[in-house]
């Protein structure tokens, strides 16, 4: 049971930056992909000692598929010896960047799960989001992914997009269900500091509109047989994302790449977000860490609550530790926000899941 | 110094007309301070005052001046507070002078405070030297305003001095006029000591410092002093004058102005207007004009964080050292916990105290709606002073409620008269007189102080686009049909939100209030009804809907810290709210009671 079992690799290259995106992204710079892959492998070598048998690997971005299969294969070859049997290996992909051949190559390289950034299937919303893919490309990507033989096909969608009216949302819902993905992540659009969308000062929908949209998504996907297993995630039986579940279970993980975050044995660090600095540090044989924090027991406990309550399963107090304000529990039950659970576990009610932050605010100190 | 060579004078002016700038110029012209030493405005010594551009505490600066007659004069420039809240203090400062420079902005002309101060100066029999300031401004109209000022004080327009405190133009003439026109003091140096206390401050190093004008007799460093009205003994450590630095001296004699450093450790019983005399050779009678100042405006002050209650008490104690007119007593609110009911001379005084508490003592405070003191006659015949709405007895036991009225003088351009009268009418004003002064109308109304304490100033400004100026003075109590308006949150009355209002306005104000609260109280985990009630009868209702969504959609390994920080910030926000019967109420909600819309129509 020793060693970190979850590995994240950040692949930052994108052909342009979408208006809502504030991830660590490198626009252009494709000629640096080989240097970057080298750096990643050096970092893997440098940090690899903490790793145990890997249960999950996640290639996230950016646009990992811009690395092309050759480089991804190189990376995966280096990781493969560390994989536990039955490991889940996910790659994110932007629909316009993939075709059948490439997806097959990913499967061959050992990727078992693909997460396609669809965001919406309505042309006007895609353009509002600066997305390069057309709805047709998104549909085609799902079909190709199926054909390529991934064990799990997931799509990312957004609600709360400015200009997205209830009809748009219903159409997206209908079409997504029609694509029959195994897994759906349906996020509420966030205005992230530093994104073009935040800068231009658009207003997101108000709380009631957002609440309506959220409920539409939850009810719609549940009606189509998906299990609402996490705040923004839905899966058919057996298709929950094990890598994300590790995050929500407060497991340790190692993150490699620019801006990647790791949490290992009570320490959390973040890598330099600048590609040059990252590559240069590793070329020197140095760890490219930029910041580090120690998670004291209280912080860790509060994080377990914060993460654990996202899931549709009871939070075991023996695992999570006590809440800061147990006296709030009866009132939360009375308000219908928490339910069931014995003396040893707590669980949000369905209504409570929509108010997760507020419930946490009642139970925990976060100071 | 010979009395014939002493001049005691002050400067009176509407705010921003240039009192401080002119004072600086005078000090400069008499070389009391050199330019490098001169901070912006010497007489305004506290930061807070500087920021607000007003003077709270009067002090006296002595300068030497060689006049064109070749003689060497001692000029004492006595600073006066510039706001209606402090009119008693102003009157005491004036009483320490023989003359006053009446400074009027040559681009603005006479304002309400100009009038109020002029009347005060005339009452004190001061020689008034009218001064038009800011003649350097292109928009200045000195001829026009000189005529108006001359009219006001019954002088010749030609005698109105014209200066620019900015450029220094005309300042020499001002000094000459002080020497020529202000009469010298005429006290009896051999009589028993009588010195008028016109100001006092508490200095953390020196203790209580009293500023006094010696009217009769002599104040000696070795004298044993007593304040006649309060009977308080004032052991003197040092006497002297400000030049403008503290300059010790052996004695101050009739006609002179200076300070006494006492061994007192708090202003406590000491009152402005009191008369200093000698313990062993007391004067027959104190100087006239002494008044007990009574706080006019009250509000509850509560620490946002209950743990800071002792800190608030300490801070109030410290402030009281230096502010004898600040009143405070413990108060317990069901909604806000432990705090203090505080009494102030007026709204400005209240703002200053609150700001000092928050800034200098690092306190986060919740203030309840300010109110006035009501005299309530119980059916049993006893009379009760009610300083907090919650203390109002059951309506069935009230014979009469009386509330303080003020006579408000408002100066406004002719086209604003309608708006001003409308506002005064809405605020239960009784018309007194109206008269043209210069290009403007002077409108006088008797108004309940309670109405002014709300947002009268702001309304006056917004309805006259800033062109009206206001001054007021108390004119005693009057009876009225007053009721208590209660606010209920989630069914429970919130004591801190209760107000006392006129019966005819109660409905409208109740409706206005619940609407305002509905907008300021954030959505909670459950629906929160907000109701306004008079004597248990609900007159208005709104609801804050329950929260329907509060999640962070995406949370992956890279942003666990970010999400945790978000929750920390949310928690911070929560801490700034008050838990009132399970409802989280932001501080602004308590303030929203202050803004009563367009007058409850
Ligand atoms: N142009 C001009 N501005 C002046 C003159 N005297 C004062 N001021 C300005 O008027 C404003 C108010 O002056 P201040 O002395 O603070 O007024 P106080 O409130 O009466 O003490 C300040 O911005 C001064 O700089 C003057 O003679 N000419
Ligand atoms: C790491 S991102 C990028 C993946 C890929 N490059 C793409 O754009 O499809 C993964 C997902 O995060 C979601 N996301 C990105 N920015 C977001 C935002 N501002 N608010 C909510 N979700 C966001 C999108 O659904 C996106 O598919
Ligand atoms: S949303 Fe995806 S494709 Fe768009 S800039 Fe961000 S990482 Fe790149």
């Amino acid at each position: 049971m020793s060693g970190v079992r979850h590995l994240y690799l950040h692949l930052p290259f994108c052909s342009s930056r979408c208006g809502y995106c504030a991830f660590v992204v490198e626009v252009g710079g494709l000629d640096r992909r080989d240097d970057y892959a080298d750096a990643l492998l050096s970092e893997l070598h440098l940090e690899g000692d903490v790793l145990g048998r890997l249960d999950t690997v996640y290639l996230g971005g950016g646009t990992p598929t811009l690395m092309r299969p050759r480089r991804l294969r190189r990376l995966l070859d280096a990781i493969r010896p560390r994989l536990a049997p039955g490991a889940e290996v996910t790659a994110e992909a932007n629909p316009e960047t993939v075709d059948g051949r490439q997806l097959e190559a990913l499967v061959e390289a050992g990727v078992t799960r693909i997460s396609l950034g669809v965001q919406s299937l309505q042309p006007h919303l895609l353009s509002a989001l600066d997305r390069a893919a057309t709805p047709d490309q998104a549909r085609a990507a799902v079909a190709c992914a199926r054909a390529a033989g991934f064990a799990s096909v997931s799509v990312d969608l957004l609600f709360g997009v400015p200009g997205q009216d209830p009809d748009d949302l219903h159409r997206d819902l209908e079409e997504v269900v029609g694509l029959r993905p195994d897994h759906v992540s349906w996020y509420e659009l966030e205005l992230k500091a530093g994104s073009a969308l935040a800068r231009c000062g658009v207003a997101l929908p108000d709380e009631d509109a957002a609440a309506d949209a959220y409920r539409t998504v939850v009810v719609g996907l549940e009606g189509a047989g998906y299990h609402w297993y996490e705040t923004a995630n839905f899966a058919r039986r057996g298709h929950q994302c094990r890598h994300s579940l590790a995050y929500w279970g407060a497991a340790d993980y190692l993150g490699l790449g620019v801006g990647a975050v790791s949490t290992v044995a009570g320490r959390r660090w973040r890598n330099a977000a600048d590609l040059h600095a990252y590559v240069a540090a590793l070329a020197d044989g140095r760890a490219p860490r930029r910041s580090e924090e120690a998670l004291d027991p209280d912080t860790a406990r509060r994080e377990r609550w914060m993460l654990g309550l996202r899931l549709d399963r009871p939070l075991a107090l023996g695992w999570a530790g006590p809440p800061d304000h147990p006296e709030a529990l009866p009132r939360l039950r009375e308000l219908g926000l928490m339910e069931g659970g014995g003396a040893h576990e707590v669980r949000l009610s369905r209504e409570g899941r929509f108010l997760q932050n507020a419930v946490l605010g009642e139970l925990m100190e976060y100071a | 110094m010979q009395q014939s060579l002493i001049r005691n004078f002050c400067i009176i002016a509407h705010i921003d007309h240039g009192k401080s700038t002119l004072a600086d110029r005078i000090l400069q012209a008499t070389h009391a301070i050199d330019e490098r030493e001169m901070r912006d405005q010497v007489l305004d010594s506290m930061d807070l005052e500087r920021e607000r551009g007003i003077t709270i505490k009067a002090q006296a600066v002595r300068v030497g001046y060689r006049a064109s007659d070749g003689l060497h004069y001692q000029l004492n420039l006595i600073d006066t507070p510039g706001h209606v809240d402090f009119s008693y203090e102003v009157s005491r400062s004036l009483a320490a002078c023989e003359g006053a420079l009446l400074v009027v902005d040559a681009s603005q002309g006479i304002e309400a405070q100009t009038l109020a101060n002029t009347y005060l100066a005339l009452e004190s029999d001061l020689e008034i030297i009218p001064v038009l300031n800011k003649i350097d401004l292109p928009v200045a109209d000195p001829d026009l305003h000189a005529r108006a000022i001359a009219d006001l004080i019954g002088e010749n327009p030609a005698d109105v001095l014209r200066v620019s405190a900015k450029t220094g133009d005309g300042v020499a003439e001002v000094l000459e006029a002080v020497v020529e026109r202000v009469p010298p003091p005429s006290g009896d140096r051999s009589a028993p000591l009588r010195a008028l206390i016109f100001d006092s401050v508490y200095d953390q190093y020196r203790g209580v410092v009293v500023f006094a004008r010696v009217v009769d007799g002599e104040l000696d460093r070795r004298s044993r002093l007593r304040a006649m009205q309060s009977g308080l003994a004032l052991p003197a450590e040092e006497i002297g004058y400000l030049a403008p630095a503290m300059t010790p001296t052996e004695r101050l004699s009739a006609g002179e102005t200076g300070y006494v450093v006492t061994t007192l450790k708090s202003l406590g019983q000491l009152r402005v207007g009191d008369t200093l005399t000698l313990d062993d050779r007391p004067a027959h009678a104190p100087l006239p004009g002494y008044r007990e100042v009574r706080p006019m405006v009250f509000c509850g002050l509560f620490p946002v964080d209950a743990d800071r209650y002792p800190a608030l008490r300490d801070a109030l104690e410290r402030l009281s050292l230096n502010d004898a007119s600040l009143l405070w007593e413990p108060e317990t609110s069901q909604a806000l916990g432990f705090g203090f009911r505080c009494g102030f001379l007026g709204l400005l005084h209240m703002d200053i105290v609150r700001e000092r508490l928050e800034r200098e003592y690092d306190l986060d405070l919740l203030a309840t709606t300010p109110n006035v003191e009501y005299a309530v006659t119980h059916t049993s015949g006893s009379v009760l002073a009610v300083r907090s709405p919650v203390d109002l007895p059951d309506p069935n036991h009230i014979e009469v409620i009386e509330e303080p009225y003020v006579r408000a003088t408002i100066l406004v351009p002719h086209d604003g008269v309608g708006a001003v009268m409308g506002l005064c009418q809405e605020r239960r004003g009784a018309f007194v007189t109206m008269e043209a002064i210069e290009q403007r109308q002077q409108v006088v109304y008797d108004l309940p102080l309670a109405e002014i304490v709300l947002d009268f100033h702001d309304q006056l400004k917004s309805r006259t686009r800033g062109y009206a100026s206001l001054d007021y003075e108390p004119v005693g109590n009057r009876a009225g049909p007053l009721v208590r308006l209660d606010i209920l949150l989630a069914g429970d009355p919130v004591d801190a939100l209760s107000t006392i209002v006129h019966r005819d306005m109660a409905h409208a104000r109740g409706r206005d209030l619940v609407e305002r609260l509905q907008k300021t109280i954030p959505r909670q985990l459950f629906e929160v009804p907000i109701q306004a009630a008079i004597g248990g009868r609900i007159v208005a209702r709104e609801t804050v809907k329950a929260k329907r969504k509060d999640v962070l959609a995406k949370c992956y390994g890279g942003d666990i810290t970010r999400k945790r920080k978000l929750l920390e910030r949310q928690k911070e926000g929560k801490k700034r709210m008050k838990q009132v019967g399970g409802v989280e109420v932001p501080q602004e909600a308590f303030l929203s009671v202050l803004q009563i819309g367009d007058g409850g129509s």
Side-chain angles (χ1 to χ4, degrees):
Chain A
M1 266 316 290
S2 66
V4 174
R5 309 182 46 127
H6 309 281
L7 177 67
Y8 175 84
L9 268 74
H10 192 68
L11 303 162
F13 300 97
C14 285
S15 32
S16 64
R17 183 186 279 275
C18 309
Y20 57 94
C21 177
F23 284 96
V24 175
V25 157
E26 195 64 24
V27 175
L30 294 184
D31 53 330
R32 292 212 298 272
R33 285 178 293 181
D34 281 317
D35 290 345
Y36 186 71
D38 290 345
L40 272 178
L41 290 172
S42 314
E43 196 187 8
L44 175 64
H45 186 72
L46 201 65
E47 308 284 1
D49 289 351
V50 302
L51 293 178
R53 295 261 110 184
L54 290 174
D55 186 36
T56 72
V57 175
Y58 200 98
L59 307 177
T63 309
T65 37
L66 276 188
M67 290 298 277
R68 316 319 295 172
R70 181 174 58 80
R71 293 187 193 84
L72 291 177
R73 172 174 285 281
R74 226 183 118 210
L75 294 173
L76 288 166
D77 285 347
I79 292 165
R80 194 166 302 112
R82 299 176 181 271
L83 293 180
E88 172 195 275
V89 179
T90 305
E92 282 182 346
N94 289 31
E96 74 282 7
T97 62
V98 295
D99 56 31
R101 273 245 288 295
Q102 195 191 0
L103 291 173
E104 278 159 27
L106 285 182
V107 174
E108 253 162 58
V111 176
T112 63
R113 185 173 178 277
I114 186 118
S115 165
L116 290 161
V118 171
Q119 321 308 352
S120 172
L121 290 158
Q122 310 313 311
H124 72 280
L125 295 175
L126 287 171
S127 78
L129 293 167
D130 299 327
R131 295 295 290 180
T134 62
D136 283 337
Q137 282 173 317
R139 287 181 202 109
V142 177
C144 287
R146 271 269 167 271
F150 290 102
S152 238
V153 176
S154 176
V155 290
D156 284 353
L157 284 116
L158 295 171
F159 71 86
V161 180
Q164 182 179 44
D165 63 28
D167 285 344
D168 291 325
L169 188 64
H170 276 110
R171 271 194 291 274
D172 268 348
L173 195 56
E174 220 167 276
E175 293 184 44
V176 166
V177 167
L179 293 173
R180 307 188 52 77
D182 303 302
H183 181 280
V184 180
S185 300
W186 205 314
Y187 303 114
E188 178 179 15
L189 182 71
E190 271 182 80
L191 271 191
K192 297 208 181 180
S195 69
L197 200 67
R199 275 197 304 278
C200 79
V202 308
L204 294 183
D206 65 24
E207 182 181 327
D208 282 313
D212 286 341
Y214 192 10
R215 280 155 213 257
T216 300
V217 168
V218 170
V219 170
L221 288 178
E222 284 184 334
Y226 293 88
H227 172 203
W228 181 26
Y229 74 101
E230 190 262 1
T231 309
N233 285 279
F234 305 82
R236 291 184 189 291
R237 186 185 301 279
H239 287 279
Q240 296 186 0
C241 175
R242 281 151 52 192
H243 187 79
S244 299
L245 281 171
Y247 291 147
W248 301 320
D252 280 355
Y253 53 92
L254 183 68
L256 304 179
V258 276
V261 175
S262 305
T263 306
V264 178
R267 277 170 36 258
R268 177 169 302 148
W269 67 88
R270 176 183 289 273
N271 282 349
D274 176 75
L275 193 70
H276 278 292
Y278 173 80
V279 171
L282 284 159
D284 276 0
R286 282 182 291 116
R289 297 182 188 183
R290 195 191 57 192
S291 59
E292 180 157 345
E293 78 180 300
L295 301 174
D296 59 63
D298 275 337
T299 305
R301 178 173 55 85
R302 286 166 186 150
E303 283 191 351
R304 285 194 294 274
W305 274 81
M306 170 183 100
L307 296 164
L309 282 187
R310 298 181 69 86
L311 296 171
D312 181 38
R313 60 179 188 215
L315 185 79
L317 294 179
W319 170 74
D324 292 318
H325 298 292
E327 72 280 3
L329 283 168
R331 194 162 147 265
L332 291 167
R333 288 218 170 81
E334 219 171 274
L335 288 168
L337 300 174
M338 308 211 79
E339 65 184 16
H344 305 295
E345 54 185 39
V346 294
R347 179 191 190 128
L348 290 178
S349 69
R350 187 180 172 79
E351 195 50 36
R353 297 187 70 189
F354 291 103
L355 297 171
Q356 194 218 351
N357 279 353
V359 170
L360 275 169
E362 300 291 310
L363 287 171
M364 307 303 280
E365 229 3 273
Y366 295 106
Chain B
M1 166 112 20
Q2 233 174 290
Q3 288 196 7
S4 63
L5 295 179
I6 298 174
R7 299 291 182 272
N8 291 304
F9 71 106
C10 59
I11 307 177
I12 54 182
H14 190 78
I15 188 155
D16 278 345
H17 281 200
K19 180 169 85 173
S20 318
T21 314
L22 182 61
D24 289 345
R25 279 291 163 209
I26 290 175
L27 298 188
Q28 237 180 338
T30 53
H31 310 295
I33 37 172
D34 72 46
E35 303 228 10
R36 267 181 306 113
E37 231 183 275
M38 183 169 120
R39 289 191 300 155
D40 272 348
Q41 286 165 352
V42 180
L43 293 184
D44 288 24
S45 60
M46 297 161 75
D47 281 357
L48 204 63
E49 292 174 34
R50 179 153 319 145
E51 260 172 43
R52 290 165 176 259
I54 51 156
T55 312
I56 303 171
K57 288 293 181 189
Q59 292 179 337
V61 178
R62 175 188 295 191
V63 296
Y65 175 61
R66 184 172 298 283
S68 59
D69 59 10
L71 296 176
H72 200 88
Y73 289 87
Q74 177 196 109
L75 307 187
N76 292 303
L77 171 53
I78 291 162
D79 198 22
T80 58
H83 188 271
V84 285
D85 284 359
F86 306 105
S87 64
Y88 170 70
E89 277 83 350
V90 176
S91 78
R92 293 307 82 202
S93 294
L94 297 184
C97 304
E98 279 77 34
L101 297 173
L102 171 62
V103 173
V104 176
D105 185 326
S107 65
Q108 306 281 323
I110 294 168
E111 298 283 356
Q113 258 179 283
T114 319
L115 290 177
N117 284 323
T118 305
Y119 297 144
L120 280 175
L122 290 171
E123 271 169 37
S124 306
D125 269 339
L126 299 196
E127 176 67 27
I128 296 180
I129 303 175
V131 177
L132 275 171
N133 184 32
K134 308 198 190 180
I135 53 164
D136 59 294
L137 289 179
V139 291
D141 191 346
D143 293 336
L144 172 78
H145 297 304
R147 278 198 302 279
I149 299 173
D151 264 3
L152 178 67
I153 57 174
E155 292 229 17
N156 188 333
D159 292 333
V160 178
L161 300 177
R162 300 174 180 209
V163 312
S164 167
K166 186 176 171 191
T167 64
D169 216 19
V171 172
E173 286 77 2
V174 170
L175 287 166
E176 282 299 313
V178 168
V179 168
E180 275 169 32
R181 298 199 220 164
V182 175
S186 59
D188 179 353
R189 286 197 168 169
S190 54
L193 172 69
R194 288 205 297 173
L196 172 70
I197 300 179
F198 60 86
D199 196 9
S200 58
V201 298
Y202 171 80
D203 180 274
Q204 75 178 111
Y205 302 107
R206 311 228 47 189
V208 169
V209 180
V210 165
F211 293 88
R213 154 71 194 275
V214 182
V215 176
D216 292 319
E218 279 195 341
L219 214 172
D220 193 272
R221 193 167 58 80
R222 286 165 299 271
S223 354
R224 290 185 39 219
L225 301 173
R226 188 172 291 282
M228 294 183 81
Q229 305 278 5
S230 62
L232 192 69
L234 289 171
E237 255 183 9
E238 173 185 314
I239 67 170
Y241 53 90
L242 300 177
M246 288 176 100
T247 312
T249 183
E250 279 300 305
R251 74 180 55 78
L252 295 169
S253 40
E256 290 187 310
T257 302
Y259 65 82
V260 180
V261 178
T262 74
T263 55
L264 296 184
K265 289 291 166 253
S266 127
L267 290 185
Q269 301 298 304
L270 199 66
R271 291 290 177 269
V272 162
D274 208 337
T275 304
L276 284 181
T277 194
L278 296 178
D279 216 13
D280 46 6
R281 194 186 163 212
H284 288 302
L287 295 161
Y290 175 78
R291 216 170 71 203
E292 275 283 344
V293 281
R294 288 172 58 83
M296 302 282 284
V297 176
F298 300 81
C299 81
L301 290 182
F302 296 84
V304 170
D305 177 357
D307 295 346
R308 301 279 283 153
Y309 175 78
L312 174 56
R313 191 191 46 229
D314 290 348
L316 283 167
E317 257 161 25
R318 299 276 291 281
L319 280 190
S320 300
L321 292 177
N322 209 354
D323 185 347
S325 37
L326 171 62
L327 198 93
W328 48 281
E329 59 203 19
E331 178 176 63
T332 310
S333 155
Q334 283 159 18
L336 303 180
F338 293 109
F340 297 91
R341 178 121 303 239
C342 301
F344 311 93
L345 295 176
L347 281 180
L348 181 82
H349 187 207
M350 177 177 85
D351 283 349
I352 290 172
V353 169
R354 263 183 58 191
E355 221 171 299
R356 291 189 62 185
L357 287 171
E358 298 207 317
R359 193 181 330 184
E360 292 170 29
Y361 297 91
D362 197 26
L363 291 160
D364 240 341
L365 295 179
L366 265 176
T368 62
T369 320
N371 57 268
V372 299
E373 178 173 301
Y374 297 89
V376 178
T377 310
H378 205 264
T379 39
S380 70
S382 60
V383 179
L384 219 73
V386 171
R387 291 170 170 180
S388 165
V390 289
D391 295 336
L392 198 69
D394 185 295
N396 296 323
H397 297 146
I398 296 177
E399 193 69 50
V400 194
I401 307 182
E402 285 179 67
E403 59 177 329
Y405 268 67
V406 294
R407 178 147 301 170
T409 302
I410 299 161
L411 266 190
V412 64
H414 295 291
D415 62 0
V417 169
V420 168
M421 295 183 73
L423 176 63
C424 290
Q425 223 67 53
E426 282 167 24
R427 298 298 167 88
R428 306 190 277 133
F431 177 79
V432 181
T433 58
M434 183 151 78
E435 181 186 341
I437 290 195
E438 270 202 274
Q439 310 298 55
R440 284 184 295 175
Q441 219 42 53
Q442 173 188 273
V443 183
V444 181
Y445 265 86
D446 283 352
L447 282 158
L449 177 62
E451 298 289 337
I452 296 209
V453 157
L454 282 170
D455 60 344
F456 191 85
H457 264 117
D458 296 342
Q459 283 295 319
L460 186 65
K461 274 208 201 102
S462 74
R463 294 196 199 183
T464 61
R465 299 190 312 283
Y467 282 115
S469 59
L470 163 76
D471 203 278
Y472 56 86
E473 55 172 2
V475 287
N477 279 349
R478 294 181 195 177
L482 300 169
V483 295
R484 188 174 71 211
L485 181 65
D486 292 318
I487 297 294
L488 291 76
L489 281 187
D492 294 324
V494 180
D495 52 7
L497 290 175
S498 291
T499 48
I500 294 176
V501 296
H502 191 274
R503 199 178 44 210
D504 296 347
M505 296 176 166
H507 267 80
R509 206 159 281 177
R511 206 165 320 116
D512 190 54
L513 249 170
V514 294
E515 274 169 28
R516 231 170 258 281
L517 287 169
Q518 196 256 350
K519 285 187 197 115
T520 38
I521 295 178
R523 293 167 76 158
Q524 322 257 324
L525 288 174
F526 48 91
E527 188 176 280
V528 179
I530 306 172
Q531 296 158 302
I534 302 166
R537 195 166 50 87
I538 305 296
V539 295
R541 182 195 159 108
E542 290 282 338
T543 4
V544 176
K545 282 189 286 182
K547 244 186 201 166
R548 292 185 56 215
K549 184 191 73 72
D550 188 359
V551 294
L552 234 210
K554 195 163 156 67
C555 184
Y556 60 102
D559 68 359
I560 294 176
T561 296
R562 181 183 71 96
K563 182 162 196 278
R564 197 186 72 229
K565 296 230 156 102
L566 214 106
L567 287 169
E568 284 164 12
R569 276 203 299 283
Q570 175 181 306
K571 197 77 194 179
E572 267 308 301
K574 241 173 125 84
K575 284 203 181 114
R576 280 196 302 275
M577 306 235 211
K578 269 280 172 187
Q579 282 282 344
V580 178
V583 182
E584 278 162 15
V585 184
Q587 280 161 263
E588 305 87 72
F590 295 94
L591 293 179
S592 74
V593 188
L594 266 171
Q595 297 135 14
I596 52 168
D598 265 5
S601 42

